[in-house]
Amino acid sequence: MPPTTEPDHPLLRVHDLRVAFDTPTGTVQAVDGVSFTVAAGRTLGLVGESGSGKSVTSLAVMGLHRRARVSGSITLAGQELLGLSDRRFGRLRGRRMAMVFQDPLSALHPAYTVGEQIAEAHRHHFGSSRRVARRRAVEMLGEVGIPEPGRRAGEYAHQFSGGMRQRAMIAMALSCEPELLVADEPTTALDVTVQAQILELIARLQQERGLGVLMITHDLGVVARVAHEVLVMYGGRGAEQAPVDELFHSPAHPYTRGLLDSLPRLDDPDDAPLRAIPGSPPSPAEPRPGCPFEPRCPRAAAATAPERARCAEESPRPRDVPDGGRLVACHLPLPAAPAAPHSGPAGGVPVPAEEAR
Amino acid sequence: MKPTYAKPRRPEARSSSVGSASAAAGPASARPLLSVRDLVKTFPGRRVLGRATAPVRAVDGVDLELAAGETLGLVGESGCGKSTTGRMLVRLLEPTAGTVEFEGRDITHLSPRELRPVRQRLQIIFQDPHASLNPRQTVARIIAEPLLVQGSTVAAARDRAAELLDLVGLGAEHLDRHPYQFSGGQAQRIGIARALATGPRLIVADEPVSALDVSVQAQVVNLMERLGAELGLSFLFIAHDLSVVKRVCDRVAVMYLGRIVEIGDKRELYDRPAHPYTRALLSAVPLPDPAAERRRERIILLGDPPSPAAPPSGCGFHPRCPKAQAVCRTERPLLQVVGSGARTAACHFPETG
């Protein structure tokens, strides 16, 4: 069970999700047994590098995989979504759960006005008239902070700046009052000053509406700013899951520790040298037994021969960490750091990782 | 074989009439390796569906100096002109106006033939490591290409390629492989090896780690730092990631709408940003520390950066600036010394605290 304060029915519950793709060169297991929950009014940050399976997970939640084999369980407010017919899923998608993508320009239709596209969702789900739907679209554009929403609703995507487009996407996603918002790298394509605006906007709308948010990102700074809980993915599996403060203060998985250590930090007065993780993230097309992080893991490298063999051969299952409140999938988790307030990048067990090939 | 660096051709002292502002922001040493004066790039307007679009002034009067062995960061948001500036410095783009002096020599108008020896010592690496490597060539060929252009024999170039692969931490066993067989981080190492082949003194690095995964980014940053120290290289490090720039650079220049709005010593600039844009930019960067994030006061700017095709009057930042006054709408501020003098900012009302 995930460590979040568990209501009877969390808004979203994903259990033992597996997603596999059949390719000419064999089966690619992109997601290999991932579990998490998102509660109403809370944000789960889903963090990982390329190939970690984070986007595949978010698409599975939205039921957007066509050719993949998806198994496990995904429930929205208690209702099982896996196995729903396209028609029944279509009634939920955009209505009770909505998605915002990384690149708003390719997610918006170039030949329809922005207002028409927002109105379309409302008409589809509520059967409202053109006039009502248009009024709703203008209202939503105003709510996401677009000036002169009445005029802008009649414009096309190319007339919007990058930040405006992402606001329009959020307006579209929220026009039918969904309970769950899935945001896949929503600010990655934006400049940092605009990113700050969009993150504020999502946080405000979440508070006003009690939205559950699943935020997929590679940026640990974004996670620290918006998430309540964090799931770190690596090689298609959950590596560590914890409340945001615990995760950053005292990561238990060597991969989480390594990620934090390899980040240059604006708030590091000494500009200490970066401690890189050697090697590269694994490709889901080349599966291997054991822990996916083992080839890059400094803990495994420093362990005794039998411990090391276990890391290489036996896949660690997620289990509770003794100090509670979190899950870690590691045979050799890091001990908890002292409870002192976190200040600066040091802390935990130092893992010297040389710049490596 | 150690890379050998040709001596600067014309070692005459550069006139010191460049203006106190840039002198103050520049390093203490005498003659800079690279010196850029009033660089401008205008892209002409086009006719789209019969309507003429306005010309775009992508770079609008940039002055820069870079000392030997120094790393200068050039930061800014998309469309601010930082990459265009970088490309003009290595003459991949022709400047509309202004001069680029490298090793004391004006290279702005050199012919391709005259440029060839200069390019041995002035190289560039790109953001997308795979897109910048020819997929049909072997690694040996990719790295050897600049040497062959410079007249090296095939055998000597291959030996040198093997050395360079070792230097960037890949190993000579990769010589006969093709780019698709490498991960992003490895491909970027190959791009770096190619840039090092001719023994450069200055490398323009255009977003060299932005396309890489976080865990791999640090490897490439560390590699560039090690090479910089071992080979005495200078870097112009173009990036939008202010955290990486803070780690890597000695001095930093912040660009907005084709102009440098603040430039100077890294520590001063990050600790006490003088330009309101620099302040907003720094405060917008999310810190990987949830407790600090909750404590933080953020300056949230309104709107987006304006288009360089229709720049605002006066100070380009005034429509988004929380401190803007009437004068900001009419008069363009020039770079002037702020604080202790280790930096300059182009603002009518710079922060001095």
Side-chain angles (χ1 to χ4, degrees), chain B residues 212-294:
Chain B
L212 306 178
D213 272 318
V214 179
S215 71
V216 177
Q217 229 180 39
Q219 297 171 12
V220 175
V221 165
N222 288 350
L223 172 68
M224 289 177 63
E225 288 190 321
R226 174 167 67 75
L227 293 171
E230 279 178 17
L231 306 177
L233 294 172
S234 301
F235 287 102
L236 181 76
F237 195 96
I238 301 170
H240 69 279
D241 185 329
L242 290 141
S243 312
V244 173
V245 166
K246 177 163 180 287
R247 166 67 209 137
V248 172
C249 298
D250 307 306
R251 287 191 310 133
V252 177
V254 181
M255 280 188 80
Y256 190 80
L257 213 58
R259 294 179 198 157
I260 290 177
V261 296
E262 184 162 3
I263 177 169
D265 174 71
K266 165 185 74 178
R267 222 157 274 282
E268 286 242 338
L269 189 136
Y270 277 82
D271 290 349
R272 287 179 298 280
H275 198 285
Y277 177 63
T278 314
R279 291 181 88 88
L281 203 56
L282 288 171
S283 92
V285 177
L287 302 175
D289 179 345
E293 274 296 321
R294 282 191 290 270

Side-chain angles (χ1 to χ4, degrees), chain A residues 261-279:
Chain A
D261 283 344
S262 61
L263 279 184
R265 298 181 55 138
L266 215 51
D267 55 347
D268 173 14
D270 305 322
D271 293 328
L274 306 180
R275 287 181 290 193
I277 306 177

Side-chain angles (χ1 to χ4, degrees), chain B residues 104-180:
Chain B
R105 182 184 188 196
D106 186 344
I107 64 164
T108 326
H109 305 290
L110 294 188
S111 67
R113 179 195 288 270
E114 291 169 317
L115 260 182
R116 208 175 288 158
V118 175
R119 286 220 165 110
Q120 292 184 19
R121 302 187 303 280
L122 178 57
Q123 288 283 326
I124 184 164
I125 51 184
F126 298 97
Q127 171 170 1
D128 184 336
H130 279 115
S132 60
L133 304 178
N134 186 333
R136 306 180 64 159
Q137 291 183 344
T138 62
V139 170
R141 171 77 200 194
I142 288 169
I143 300 176
E145 182 95 13
L147 295 165
L148 298 173
V149 169
Q150 305 285 349
S152 168
T153 66
V154 173
R158 188 180 163 91
D159 286 350
R160 179 88 179 107
E163 276 174 28
L164 287 160
L165 272 184
D166 258 345
L167 188 64
V168 298
L170 273 179
E173 69 270 21
H174 297 295
L175 273 177
D176 295 311
R177 300 171 75 190
H178 287 83
Y180 73 88

Side-chain angles (χ1 to χ4, degrees), chain B residues 20-21 24-25 262-265 267-269 271-275 279 335-347 349-353:
Chain B
S20 59
E262 184 162 3
I263 177 169
D265 174 71
R267 222 157 274 282
E268 286 242 338
L269 189 136
D271 290 349
R272 287 179 298 280
H275 198 285
R279 291 181 88 88
L335 281 170
Q336 47 190 308
V337 176
V338 240
S340 67
R343 121 195 96 119
T344 60
C347 178
F349 306 100
E351 300 282 342
T352 47

Side-chain angles (χ1 to χ4, degrees), chain A residues 49-50 161 191 193 195 197 221 224-225 245 248 262 264 268-269 271-272 274 277-279 296 355-357, chain B residues 77-78 169 189 213-215 219 222 226 243 246-247 266-267 284 286-288 293-294 296 298 301 303-304 320:
Chain A
E49 299 181 282
S50 46
S161 67
D191 282 322
T193 58
Q195 165 173 283
Q197 299 168 1
R225 184 171 293 181
D245 286 293
F248 280 85
S262 61
D268 173 14
D271 293 328
L274 306 180
I277 306 177
R296 307 175 75 191
E355 164 233 311
R357 49 193 60 189
Chain B
E77 299 182 283
S78 48
R189 286 169 196 262
D213 272 318
V214 179
S215 71
Q219 297 171 12
N222 288 350
R226 174 167 67 75
S243 312
K246 177 163 180 287
R247 166 67 209 137
K266 165 185 74 178
R267 222 157 274 282
L287 302 175
E293 274 296 321
R294 282 191 290 270
R296 234 167 145 210
R298 271 189 288 280
L301 292 178
D304 301 82
R320 302 175 79 196

